[in-house]
Amino acid sequence: MATADSTLPLDYEKRLSGDDIKDSKEVEVVSDQDSGFGVLEDERDIATHVITVTDDASLNPWTLRAFIVGIGLSAFGGVLAEIYYFKPQTVLVSTMFLAIISYVLGIAMETVIPTRGLFRYLNPHPFNKKENAFIVIMASAAANSALGTEVLAVQRLYYNITPNPGASIFLLFSSQLLGYGIGGLFRNVLLYPSKMLYPGVLPLVSMFDALFKDTSGVQKKLRLFWIAFGVVFIWEMFPEWIFPLLTGFSIFCLANQKSADFTRVFGGSNGNEGLGLLSICFDWQYISGGYNPMAIPLRAQFSNLLGYILCMVVFVGVYYKDIWSSKSFPFLSQELFYPNGTVYDQLLILNDNFEVDPKLLAEQGLPFYAGTWVVQLLTTNLGMGATFAHLLIWNFDDIKQAWDWMTPSGIRKIWGNFDWRFWRDSGMRDQQEGDETLDPHYREMLKYPDAPNSWYWVTLLASIIMGLVIIYKTNSTLPWWGFLISIILATLSILFFGTLYAITGLQFIIQPFIQMIGGFIHPGKPMANMYFVLFGYNSVTQAQLLLRDLKIAQYTKLPPRAAFTAQIIGTLFGSVLNFILMNSIIDNQRDILLSVEGTNVWSGQQPQQYNSQAIAWGALSHQLFAIGKRYQFVAWAYLIGFLVPIPFWIAHKLWPRLRADYLYTPVICYYIGWLCVGINSSILSYFTIAWVSQWWLRTRYPRWFTKYNYILAAALDGGTQVMIFILSFAVFGASGDSHLFPQWWGANQAGNYDRCLQIDT
């Protein structure tokens, strides 16, 4: 058994195990001043006090049991992710959910299967934490809706094209693995340092510690986990199916059910209904659908809140001042429109090669966006520029290692350690021993052989070759040089946005920026734009997910080569399942997916926005976004974003007591466009829970926070997603007809669930 890192506080193990706590009731009433338990201040504190640093090298993840459960859950997660893709609110498949199911299955196999004879290969030893982590990483790699299916869905829904299944599968393989190759080569910058915390994975790892550490303190954690899991599992039937008014309980909507203005401002229980101001949400699926409010650090939450407040003000101002003719179109929508407010038919401006025909465009006229969607495009670009500037100003030392290899000394070091037998490459890990910025968890991992850089190079090159073949076999209209430019953009974005994600836990959608670049270099080609975005944007997302999963491996001490194997298997298998289920849902829910608002259960808002972006940027970028055109400020916002962090940096240098360094300017900018889609009734509940968890509990009851906050977050996510999966197939029509709960006051199936007026346009 390896020992804890020498830099840890002496009472670390005592604090972590909870042996110093005699009674759980005492924990709840002891304040910070009385307990002597310090508040967790920074990333290193959290990483070393909330989760276990020590490692048991004897635990073996390479078991047939782990592969069987991992592949089974990869199928499960891949199907669930594709269901969520067609939901009215962006909801991610929680790694917590996958971890719980894998734990139950693993323990069941350990208990039921004999340990003698041939059965010993299925049950070689007690189910352990590293097996569980191996399974979760494999399943989570599969449990993401591949953006390639979005391209394929748009082609089916809006272009009446059904691509060849074989080419479609290889398109998914290439686009999913490309980001893995790039992200893996940035491990020394985006994974190893303590500052790269990945806060979103802390509840998961805390749960692992609780499940596999047999102490009295952990038993209390486990009891809390199962109680909370069971309660939220039963509860979710009510807001999701029986009593959907609880999705967004709005006093204002109940008081005035005939005002369109009330719907736009206070409504939010249905997709694209309104801003959900002061609505109260009791549905944990939507409160924690994107980011668990109990896991994201307070600093990031505070910047998020400022962006949200500005979003409310800007959206209302743009619409009611009729900027960009906003009143002629729906308040929230991702579609393109004619001037009279009807949905724009993009097929009427394209020729047989799916390129814009000037004569047809002149007949149809230029399309319009909803004003709030223009704001979202603008603020996304604003946040993009702010991210580059913010990280260069505040975090230059954290990211400069990414280009250290390009210096003369770096090149000499690479050459001096070069070994043509690349499969023996250790990743030069012996040179990292004395690095003080290394995560203590990673230092424990140095005993295991690394998955060398050469493996990631092979993954990257194979993906590039596949991509080059596919863009011509599918008639994407994207030239080879455009494909290579998309890879360069992805590489730069992974470095900067990967850093922001690792530190804050917030994942930015940079799709509009990539589409803007693609539109200007491939004018008049919406199909080429979709493929350009697929490789330029999806690679960023995939790199972030790879690094997140590698952080899970680092925290649980899963050997790097096991983590790599799990990721590749899960990614390839999940891509195939995404493709199959995408076709099934389109076959069964096509009319709903093409409608502007959708329903509380199904929505085409994601393929809608992807298609409208491809048309606007890919086909009409010069007519809509160039200098002097209708939406010119969307493009200018990127350059303006570079200036946003500078005043805050100057203010901090001149007046450090103002704590201007506490603000993440990219987060503020990005969240000004936050409420542009989906169900918005959960925002008040989200920030309330975030404040209770990350401020009140963390500062007033730090011992309780350290022991129970993340395990409670895990339980709420897990119980919710198990129930959502059951409901999706049982009553929501994931594979056929849906069966809504009968009409009653709490389930207004004929309109918006919060009783706000349903607006037709």
Side-chain angles (χ1 to χ4, degrees):
M1 174 79 75
T3 59
D5 186 84
S6 60
T7 61
L8 299 181
L10 294 177
D11 63 340
Y12 163 69
E13 285 298 327
K14 185 178 179 182
R15 288 184 179 185
L16 184 67
S17 67
D19 293 339
D20 60 332
I21 301 173
K22 297 180 180 179
D23 190 279
S24 60
K25 295 181 180 179
E26 179 185 349
V27 176
E28 300 177 2
V29 298
V30 174
S31 68
D32 182 27
Q33 292 80 5
D34 295 333
S35 69
F37 192 98
V39 178
L40 305 185
E41 297 290 349
D42 57 23
E43 294 85 358
R44 196 179 186 89
D45 278 352
I46 293 173
T48 56
H49 285 75
V50 171
I51 51 183
T52 303
V53 176
T54 55
D55 174 39
D56 182 355
S58 67
L59 299 180
N60 174 34
W62 296 99
T63 65
L64 183 59
R65 173 174 58 201
F67 277 96
I68 292 174
V69 178
I71 291 173
L73 277 185
S74 294
F76 185 70
V79 169
L80 186 58
E82 199 63 23
I83 291 172
Y84 279 152
Y85 171 74
F86 292 102
K87 287 286 186 178
Q89 177 80 352
T90 301
V91 179
L92 308 177
V93 179
S94 172
T95 50
M96 211 79 58
F97 164 65
L98 298 172
I100 294 163
I101 300 299
S102 62
Y103 174 78
V104 172
L105 293 175
I107 294 297
M109 292 181 73
E110 172 195 330
T111 304
V112 174
I113 298 176
T115 58
R116 296 184 179 183
L118 292 177
F119 289 109
R120 70 180 184 276
Y121 295 107
L122 285 175
N123 189 14
H125 48 66
F127 187 66
N128 63 58
K129 180 165 69 173
K130 294 185 182 182
E131 283 183 282
N132 208 339
F134 180 86
I135 294 167
V136 168
I137 289 174
M138 183 186 293
S140 69
N144 293 286
S145 177
L147 188 65
T149 61
E150 193 161 10
V151 174
L152 300 172
V154 168
Q155 288 179 316
R156 283 200 60 187
L157 289 169
Y158 297 99
Y159 294 87
N160 297 319
I161 296 174
T162 302
N164 176 276
S168 298
I169 294 297
F170 279 104
L171 173 68
L172 298 179
F173 286 173
S174 174
S175 59
Q176 290 294 89
L177 293 177
L178 185 63
Y180 276 13
I182 301 172
L185 296 173
F186 280 138
R187 300 191 311 286
N188 65 315
V189 181
L190 300 178
L191 180 66
Y192 301 155
S194 289
K195 183 170 286 188
M196 304 305 164
L197 179 66
Y198 292 86
V201 308
L202 294 178
L204 171 70
V205 182
S206 177
M207 183 187 71
F208 279 149
D209 285 346
L211 294 176
F212 292 98
K213 192 172 183 180
D214 187 19
T215 67
S216 59
V218 169
Q219 291 303 313
K220 294 176 184 177
K221 283 186 178 182
L222 207 53
R223 185 164 59 249
L224 172 65
F225 173 84
W226 288 118
I227 290 173
F229 181 96
V231 169
V232 78
F233 174 79
I234 300 298
W235 169 255
E236 276 299 309
M237 282 195 299
F238 291 91
E240 277 296 302
W241 187 50
I242 299 172
F243 196 177
L245 176 66
L246 297 174
T247 299
F249 187 86
S250 173
I251 294 176
F252 297 91
C253 286
L254 293 175
N256 189 341
Q257 302 177 22
K258 298 182 180 180
S259 171
D261 293 331
F262 269 49
T263 298
R264 297 184 184 103
V265 176
F266 301 110
S269 64
N270 288 62
N272 289 3
E273 179 190 348
L275 301 180
L277 179 61
L278 300 180
S279 288
I280 302 173
C281 180
F282 297 93
D283 188 341
W284 188 257
Q285 177 190 197
Y286 295 116
I287 295 172
S288 181
Y291 307 106
N292 191 309
M294 301 174 71
I296 303 301
L298 184 65
R299 181 177 173 183
Q301 298 277 19
F302 183 70
S303 297
N304 187 343
L305 175 61
L306 293 180
Y308 163 66
I309 293 171
L310 290 172
C311 178
M312 304 283 289
V313 174
V314 172
F315 274 20
V316 170
V318 164
Y319 183 81
Y320 286 100
K321 290 292 185 180
D322 202 26
I323 299 173
W324 299 303
S325 304
S326 296
K327 288 188 175 181
S328 300
F329 316 113
F331 183 52
L332 302 177
S333 179
Q334 302 78 51
E335 295 273 19
L336 292 170
F337 297 95
Y338 290 104
N340 64 4
T342 57
V343 177
Y344 196 82
D345 188 345
Q346 74 271 12
L347 290 179
L348 298 180
I349 65 172
L350 303 179
N351 59 25
D352 293 338
N353 295 322
F354 298 102
E355 298 176 357
V356 172
D357 186 314
K359 293 183 179 179
L360 296 176
L361 178 61
E363 294 175 1
Q364 297 298 316
L366 290 173
F368 285 77
Y369 275 125
T372 52
W373 186 251
V374 178
V375 173
Q376 194 274 339
L377 297 177
L378 191 152
T379 56
T380 297
N381 282 351
L382 196 69
M384 282 282 299
T387 297
F388 290 110
H390 184 98
L391 293 178
L392 288 173
I393 291 174
W394 297 102
N395 299 88
F396 180 77
D397 290 338
D398 299 322
I399 61 177
K400 68 178 182 180
Q401 298 176 55
W403 51 80
D404 277 354
W405 65 274
M406 299 172 62
T407 62
S409 61
I411 294 173
R412 285 195 299 270
K413 184 183 295 184
I414 293 173
W415 180 253
N417 291 275
F418 177 75
D419 187 347
W420 63 271
R421 294 166 297 185
F422 60 85
W423 56 89
R424 297 186 178 182
D425 181 9
S426 67
M428 298 166 60
R429 303 174 89 202
D430 55 320
Q431 301 177 26
Q432 299 166 2
E433 293 277 1
D435 187 351
E436 294 182 358
T437 68
L438 276 187
D439 191 320
H441 296 273
Y442 178 68
R443 191 170 283 115
E444 287 286 313
M445 296 281 283
L446 294 176
K447 68 173 76 72
Y448 301 112
D450 195 10
N453 283 346
S454 55
W455 291 15
Y456 292 99
W457 277 114
V458 169
T459 302
L460 176 60
L461 293 175
S463 300
I464 291 174
I465 293 170
M466 275 193 292
L468 284 170
V469 173
I470 289 299
I471 61 175
Y472 287 100
K473 287 294 184 181
T474 57
N475 297 317
S476 68
T477 72
L478 178 68
W480 65 268
W481 56 268
F483 173 71
L484 296 181
I485 290 176
S486 71
I487 296 175
I488 294 171
L489 276 176
T491 303
L492 292 173
S493 299
I494 287 167
L495 174 60
F496 285 90
F497 289 93
T499 300
L500 195 64
Y501 174 57
I503 294 173
T504 67
L506 300 176
Q507 194 172 15
F508 282 11
I509 298 175
I510 62 170
Q511 176 184 326
F513 169 75
I514 302 295
Q515 281 184 304
M516 178 179 73
I517 300 299
F520 279 111
I521 65 176
H522 302 299
K525 296 183 177 181
M527 192 77 74
N529 190 270
M530 286 196 295
Y531 279 83
F532 185 87
V533 172
L534 173 62
F535 292 105
Y537 163 59
N538 186 63
S539 300
V540 179
T541 303
Q542 284 299 103
Q544 291 172 332
L545 294 176
L546 168 119
L547 291 162
R548 179 204 68 183
D549 288 348
L550 290 181
K551 199 69 176 185
I552 294 173
Q554 186 169 301
Y555 284 150
T556 58
K557 317 307 178 296
L558 177 70
R561 296 187 177 187
F564 180 88
T565 302
Q567 287 175 315
I568 296 299
I569 293 174
T571 299
L572 297 180
F573 188 39
S575 296
V576 176
L577 294 171
N578 285 171
F579 174 71
I580 294 171
L581 198 69
M582 177 270 294
N583 284 318
S584 174
I585 292 175
I586 290 178
D587 289 340
N588 288 287
Q589 310 294 339
R590 184 183 184 89
D591 292 340
I592 293 175
L593 300 180
L594 288 170
S595 66
V596 173
E597 185 171 301
T599 68
N600 185 259
V601 177
W602 298 110
S603 172
Q605 53 111 345
Q606 296 204 66
Q608 285 173 16
Q609 67 91 11
Y610 195 70
N611 174 64
S612 64
Q613 291 279 71
I615 293 293
W617 284 113
L620 306 171
S621 56
H622 291 276
Q623 293 91 333
L624 291 176
F625 301 102
I627 297 175
K629 302 303 181 181
R630 184 189 302 150
Y631 302 130
Q632 61 173 324
F633 288 107
V634 172
W636 280 112
Y638 177 70
L639 297 178
I640 297 171
F642 277 96
L643 304 176
V644 172
I646 296 176
F648 296 90
W649 180 76
I650 295 174
H652 179 66
K653 293 297 181 182
L654 296 177
W655 305 286
R657 291 187 177 181
L658 291 178
R659 293 304 309 272
D661 62 323
Y662 194 78
L663 300 176
Y664 286 116
T665 50
V667 175
I668 297 172
C669 293
Y670 179 81
Y671 278 91
I672 295 175
W674 189 15
L675 305 178
C676 59
V677 299
I679 290 175
N680 294 324
S681 59
S682 62
I683 309 301
L684 178 61
S685 299
Y686 174 90
F687 282 117
T688 301
I689 293 170
W691 178 84
V692 170
S693 168
Q694 291 292 322
W695 184 81
W696 189 70
L697 286 176
R698 185 176 65 86
T699 60
R700 301 299 179 88
Y701 302 95
R703 183 184 298 179
W704 196 100
F705 177 86
T706 301
K707 284 174 62 64
Y708 298 115
N709 179 75
Y710 293 100
I711 197 70
L712 179 59
L716 294 175
D717 276 355
T720 295
Q721 296 215 346
V722 172
M723 176 54 72
I724 296 303
F725 179 83
I726 294 171
L727 291 176
S728 294
F729 283 94
V731 296
F732 290 159
S735 58
D737 295 334
S738 60
H739 303 281
L740 300 179
F741 199 80
Q743 172 77 23
W744 70 287
W745 180 81
N748 184 29
Q749 308 294 2
N752 293 321
Y753 286 126
D754 55 15
R755 294 282 171 170
C756 267
L757 176 70
Q758 187 169 25
I759 305 173
D760 295 329
T761 58

